[in-house]
Each structure stands twice: as C-alpha cells, then as structure tokens.
C-alpha cells in the first residue's frame, strides 16, 4: 500500500471496514473517484484519517521487525502507518492473493510450508535435480542455457518426482512424531539404507 493517494497500490480483494467511536461497523471504500472520474486507490494516510485514527508521519518503519508499538491507556500509538493499518481488524483478517482467489472454491486449501525446510517440499528436490542436470550440460550461452533448462526439466522422470514426494511425506511423518530436524535426517538415512 502507498502513503499518498493515487498511483499503483497493492492488491486488496475484500472490502474495508472499521469500528467507529460509537462501536458501529462502517464500510470503507478502497478507492475514490479522482477529478477524471477514475477509481484511484487511497493511500494509507487517507484511510487512517477517514477512520478517525492518528496518522503517523512515517509510511513504513525502516526495520518492520523491530517496529516499536507503544500502548497508551486503551489506545495504541504506532511508529508508522503500515503498523497502524496492520493492527486494524479488517487488515488482520485479509488473506493473501492466493487465499482470497480460492476461498470460495470447493476442494482447495492453501497450506504453507515452514520456512527453511526444503525437505518438506518435493518441488525443491525436483528443481535441485534439474539444476544438477543443467550444470552438467550447460553451454553457457543464452540460447544454449534455455535449451538445456528445458531438457533438464524434462529429464526428471515422473517416477523420480513421485519418489521425491514420498521422501517429503516421510519427513513430515518424522516431524509429526516429534523428531528434531537432525534426528529426522538420521532416521531418513536409516530408512533409505533398509530399502537397499
């Protein structure tokens, strides 16, 4: 989202709303009509002002992970506009673009993998095998690289991809049993050696 009004802004699927001082829920439009009659995204400052909230001077904290949030009685004061909006109930309930796109579709579910665990994502194993093949056969020219990548992706068989998926599911099972990353890796090596 942007600080000022107009310009390009990030995707927002669902409508905005807020609770006013009387405790009533009020709908809030994400855009407004500019002087040419076009829908223009509102900036963060305008959205906060329309909600009757104090507008911090800074749009975004230089270090969002360390953004100080200070409570003053029942009201919270934020160091930047982004933090102030992130703590609004409608913004907290906003899903990602993918979640919003499939939320009404039956049979679909978004599942996020934990960060820094490529062993749970068999697509990473597939990419790793394709990269290995690319490095071995690459001609190091643009045309040669494109041809090599395409053939490297095709060279990984469906049986290999299924094996990668099975490996990822076995890792998930070990983690569900409460094993640490190191212990799960050791158990996976034992499992592999038993199959030979």
């Amino acid at each position: 989202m942007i600080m000022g009004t107009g310009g390009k802004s990030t995707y927002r699927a669902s409508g905005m709303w807020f609770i006013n001082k009387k405790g009533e829920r009020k709908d809030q439009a994400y855009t407004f009509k500019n002087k040419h009659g076009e829908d223009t995204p509102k900036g963060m400052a305008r959205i906060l002002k329309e909600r009757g909230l104090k507008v911090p001077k800074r749009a975004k904290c230089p270090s969002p992970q360390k953004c100080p949030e200070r409570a003053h009685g029942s009201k919270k004061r934020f160091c930047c506009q982004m933090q102030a909006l992130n703590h609004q109930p409608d913004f907290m309930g906003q899903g990602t673009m993918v979640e919003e796109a499939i939320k009404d579709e039956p049979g679909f579910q978004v599942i996020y993998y934990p960060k820094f665990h490529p062993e749970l994502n068999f697509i990473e194993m597939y990419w790793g095998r394709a990269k290995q093949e690319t490095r071995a056969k690459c001609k190091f020219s643009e045309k040669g690289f494109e041809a090599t990548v395409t053939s490297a992706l095709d060279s990984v068989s469906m049986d290999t991809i299924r094996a990668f998926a099975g490996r990822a599911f076995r890792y998930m099972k070990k983690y569900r049993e409460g094993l640490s990353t190191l212990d799960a890796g050791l158990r996976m090596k034992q499992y592999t050696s038993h199959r030979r």
Side-chain angles (χ1 to χ4, degrees):
M1 199 162 233
I2 54 174
M3 181 175 177
T5 299
K8 290 187 178 180
S9 191
T10 54
Y11 169 85
R12 179 150 178 90
S14 55
M16 296 190 298
W17 56 271
F18 64 98
I19 306 296
N20 66 12
K21 292 178 182 176
K22 296 177 184 175
E24 302 165 332
R25 181 183 161 135
K26 294 282 185 185
D27 290 331
Q28 184 179 25
Y30 180 58
T31 59
F32 71 99
K33 297 281 184 196
N34 64 16
K35 62 184 177 183
H36 304 293
E38 301 164 337
D39 283 336
T40 306
K42 294 177 182 175
M44 291 186 287
R46 184 169 181 160
I47 292 169
L48 289 168
K49 192 173 183 180
E50 286 178 4
R51 292 175 181 220
L53 299 170
K54 182 174 176 169
V55 181
K57 290 179 184 175
R58 200 180 332 193
K60 185 177 177 184
C61 201
S63 177
Q65 294 84 7
K66 297 177 182 175
C67 189
E69 175 188 311
R70 297 178 296 279
H72 293 280
S74 62
K75 293 184 178 179
K76 290 183 177 177
R77 196 175 91 204
F78 300 97
C79 72
C80 63
Q81 294 170 17
M82 185 174 280
Q83 283 297 317
L85 277 179
N86 283 343
H87 285 78
Q88 295 296 304
D90 58 330
F91 277 79
M92 290 168 70
Q94 175 73 40
T96 63
M97 190 183 293
V98 173
E99 290 169 332
E100 292 289 329
I102 69 166
K103 73 178 178 185
D104 297 327
E105 297 289 327
F108 289 96
Q109 184 180 8
V110 178
I111 301 172
Y112 293 102
Y113 289 108
K115 290 182 180 180
F116 313 114
H117 283 280
E119 72 277 8
L120 299 177
N121 188 349
F122 63 90
I123 295 169
E124 292 289 339
M125 298 175 208
Y126 169 66
W127 279 112
R129 179 65 60 88
K131 283 195 279 186
Q132 186 180 27
E133 187 79 15
T134 302
R135 277 191 227 105
K137 296 181 179 177
C138 188
K139 303 283 189 246
F140 297 101
S141 68
E142 190 173 335
K143 283 187 178 181
F145 182 72
E146 285 179 24
T148 305
V149 168
T150 304
S151 67
L153 290 169
D154 292 338
S155 73
V156 184
S157 69
M158 189 56 72
D159 289 337
T160 304
I161 294 170
R162 286 188 184 113
F164 290 154
R167 183 169 189 233
F169 291 132
R170 288 192 297 277
Y171 259 107
M172 288 178 201
K173 183 180 177 189
K174 297 299 177 196
Y175 288 140
R176 275 191 223 104
E177 292 170 3
L179 296 176
S180 67
T181 307
L182 182 63
D183 291 338
L186 291 172
R187 290 281 176 89
M188 289 297 291
K189 284 182 183 176
Q190 289 172 356
Y191 184 84
T192 305
S193 65
H194 286 299
R195 292 183 68 185
R196 290 183 187 161

